[in-house]
Amino acid sequence: MADELRARIDARLDRYPGDIMPFAPYMPVPAPLHSFEEHKAIAIREMNERLAAAKASIRTPPDPSLISIKSWQFGFTGSESDDAATRSARDGLYLRLQSHRGDYVSSEQWRGFFEAIDNPKRWVEFGEAAEAEGWTVEANACFAAARWLDPGVEERIATAIAGRSNDALPARLVRQPDAGLATQPFMQRHWLAWDMKNYGRLDLPTLMRWACDPNFSVRARIYRSLGQRPHPASIQTLHEGRFDPHPFARAQALRSLGWCADPTALEFLRTMAASDPDAEVRRTAAKAAQRIEGYWWFYGEWNAIAGSAERMLEVARFLVDKGLPAFVYNIVVLCDRGDDGALGELVDSIEADALERDREDEELYARSQYHHWFSEAQEHEARRDSLTDEEARSDARQPGAAGFEGRRTLRHRGLAVPS
């Protein structure tokens, strides 16, 4: 990280306690930053309402002659008894409380991330601290970062979580990271990786554990889901994605680094924007670099900026002058400010420089869609790992695709990657 950028970030971290991650697709912008007690009261009220509705539905089942629609992403749909509905409510409340402030990252977390780069011991320590305070989802994310760097930390993690009462915890939390994902067929792995973005940060450990999937399409989906629930713990996993030999997967990893606002990625993103052989990767890298630089110019203020058209216009003009039109276009649209008078005019004037995908280029646009690659991914699925452990260790030290495949193979087998 360049000295000037690091100094600017340190000054922002000193001045502000944290900020929202405005690129998270499921966060309202501006976000209501309730205190924990306020958040708890809202969660209890809403969960009680859902429990009452679930019990009423159990007592008055729908007419069997009618078609019913069910969503299996949420806990009450499958409840067939009061006891099951009550357990779903208990699990749901636990996870709602764990998700206090959603996609918000504190300055303390960012400082911790900078300390923990390439240091599994520090990630374990941060996980232990979160565990001691009862933040099990946060602890799991930190432990996942440690595992990514060194599978040998597992014994210490087991000691840290030995005090958990698993019978009282949601089953989905207990099984993190879920070993079952790797046993599923291709399309099911892909769908599950897509679905995991719908549960806050709960599934980050599973996504990080299996970012080494043999199939590029599943890796692409995992990279994207990690970015859609941004957290500093995911960043080193996404760093590895820049070496992914498949351009579609590589582009998703770079996009997610931008969503995670990772300042340590800025230099190599700019390099890839200039020199990657794939046009979509170059576009994505350039856009991600602008997201990161723009975010840190005003870290700590984005929630307030999003709530004020006047302030947004001032900030947008400043960042356009800094050469960040793609970021400005993106953030204004995210905050639903594109129709606000002078701000709307500014957005219209920079649209040509906003690095948006050209939908009129049918081939390039098609290559940016998951379904375009499914046929190739299905063919790839028939090929299995052929490297021995020793061959993978040797390849892991090599540059390019061979090095990526060696490291990916070792991680998939739960083995340490040589430094």
Side-chain angles (χ1 to χ4, degrees), residues 329 338 343-352:
Y329 187 90
L343 191 54
E345 293 175 6
L346 176 64
V347 169
D348 289 343
S349 73
I350 62 174
E351 185 172 4

Side-chain angles (χ1 to χ4, degrees), residues 353-370:
D353 300 317
L355 298 175
E356 293 299 296
R357 192 177 290 113
D358 183 1
R359 288 175 177 263
E360 294 183 4
D361 187 332
E362 294 182 4
E363 181 180 357
L364 185 61
Y365 181 72
R367 286 170 56 83
S368 71
Q369 305 302 301
Y370 283 95

Side-chain angles (χ1 to χ4, degrees), residues 120-136 138-140 142-144 146-147 153-166 169 173:
K121 179 181 177 182
R122 290 297 287 146
W123 277 117
V124 173
E125 290 170 351
F126 294 135
E128 289 170 336
E131 183 75 20
E133 295 178 0
W135 295 108
T136 51
E138 174 69 15
N140 278 355
C142 294
F143 292 145
R147 285 190 190 98
V153 300
E154 197 61 52
E155 183 176 348
R156 183 168 171 181
I157 292 172
T159 300
I161 65 176
R164 292 182 182 177
S165 177
N166 286 347
L169 295 174
L173 184 146

Side-chain angles (χ1 to χ4, degrees), residues 328-347:
V328 171
Y329 187 90
N330 193 196
I331 200 72
V332 171
V333 171
L334 280 174
C335 297
D336 199 24
R337 292 285 184 184
D339 296 326
D340 290 353
L343 191 54
E345 293 175 6
L346 176 64
V347 169

Side-chain angles (χ1 to χ4, degrees), residues 234-268:
S234 305
I235 285 173
Q236 290 197 266
T237 302
L238 293 169
H239 279 194
E240 178 69 7
R242 70 179 148 144
F243 301 113
D244 200 299
H246 199 284
F248 181 62
R250 193 160 68 249
Q252 309 316 307
L254 302 186
R255 179 177 287 110
S256 287
L257 284 168
W259 284 339
C260 288
D262 170 25
T264 69
L266 199 53
E267 184 175 347
F268 69 70

Side-chain angles (χ1 to χ4, degrees), residues 68-82:
S68 61
I69 299 175
K70 293 187 176 183
S71 169
W72 296 102
Q73 293 177 14
F74 303 100
F76 290 102
T77 304
S79 298
E80 297 179 354
S81 68
D82 282 5

